[in-house]
Amino acid sequence: MPRSPPPGPAPLRLAEFLPYRLSVVGETVSRAFADRYEAEFGLSIPEWRVMAILGEGEPLSTQEVIVRSGMDRVKVSRAAIRLAAKSLVARTPHPQDQRAHILRLAPKGLSLYRLIVPRARTLQAALAEALTAEEQRVLDVILGKLHRRAASLRGWKDEVSDPGLE
């Protein structure tokens, strides 16, 4: 005799649940990149993200890195401390807040960043090969919309942490 479904709402099929699917894809892509960075350069995902943000140019406060990366305070702080211990990032006290720091790539970090960027672009191109140019354009639009909607659901006003998703 077939089992009847439990009373209440229809079961949630995780494999069809958009937040779960986005999380799995994001984690899989991050791990594909991180496996290479960890093996070759000894960098974790949070460490590489901090370096990538600092590699865009200007020194930033820890808080600015948190906002731009979308990572939580603890991950950014720990990554910055580890990167400073490896002489990859310079941390100086924030002039207006002695509890905070200003971060910038140290010379050794800048050299490493310049070595990693071409590899990152190659990995990105390999991943993007799964999509046509039009699909890439549409995905960019969709990701931006989903990011803004998720931010609004969290109650964020104008805080979109990834300018590439705007």
Side-chain angles (χ1 to χ4, degrees):
M1 175 185 264
R3 289 186 351 187
S4 59
L12 178 71
R13 302 210 185 284
L14 202 54
E16 298 168 1
F17 188 56
L18 182 60
Y20 172 76
R21 293 181 71 197
L22 290 170
S23 176
V24 169
V25 169
E27 181 60 25
T28 303
V29 170
S30 285
R31 286 290 356 140
F33 280 61
D35 289 347
R36 289 162 173 85
Y37 300 147
E38 285 174 339
E40 193 169 350
F41 307 109
L43 295 175
S44 67
I45 293 171
E47 289 170 345
W48 166 241
R49 287 181 183 167
V50 169
M51 285 189 65
I53 289 165
L54 295 175
E56 293 176 11
E58 75 226 51
L60 298 170
S61 70
T62 307
Q63 183 59 37
E64 290 169 312
V65 173
I66 291 165
V67 169
R68 290 186 188 192
S69 69
M71 292 188 297
D72 67 59
R73 178 176 303 283
V74 172
K75 279 187 180 180
V76 170
S77 180
R78 287 181 180 164
I81 290 167
R82 287 190 306 266
L83 290 166
K86 297 175 186 179
S87 301
L88 298 173
V89 165
R91 295 171 69 226
T92 55
H94 194 290
Q96 283 83 37
D97 182 355
Q98 292 304 306
R99 297 169 299 161
H101 290 90
I102 300 294
L103 307 173
R104 66 174 172 74
L105 287 180
K108 182 178 172 184
L110 185 57
S111 294
L112 183 60
Y113 173 81
R114 289 178 176 154
L115 185 64
I116 294 174
V117 166
R119 288 172 170 84
R121 288 191 174 127
T122 299
L123 286 169
Q124 176 179 303
L127 182 63
E129 286 176 2
L131 304 172
T132 66
E134 177 62 13
E135 287 170 333
Q136 290 177 45
R137 188 194 66 71
V138 170
L139 178 61
D140 187 53
V141 170
I142 291 169
L143 289 174
K145 286 181 176 183
L146 289 173
H147 189 257
R148 285 189 297 277
R149 182 63 177 146
S152 77
L153 291 171
R154 288 193 68 189
W156 296 350
K157 298 283 187 244
D158 296 320
E159 190 175 312
V160 177
S161 61
D162 185 347
L165 296 180
E166 295 183 323

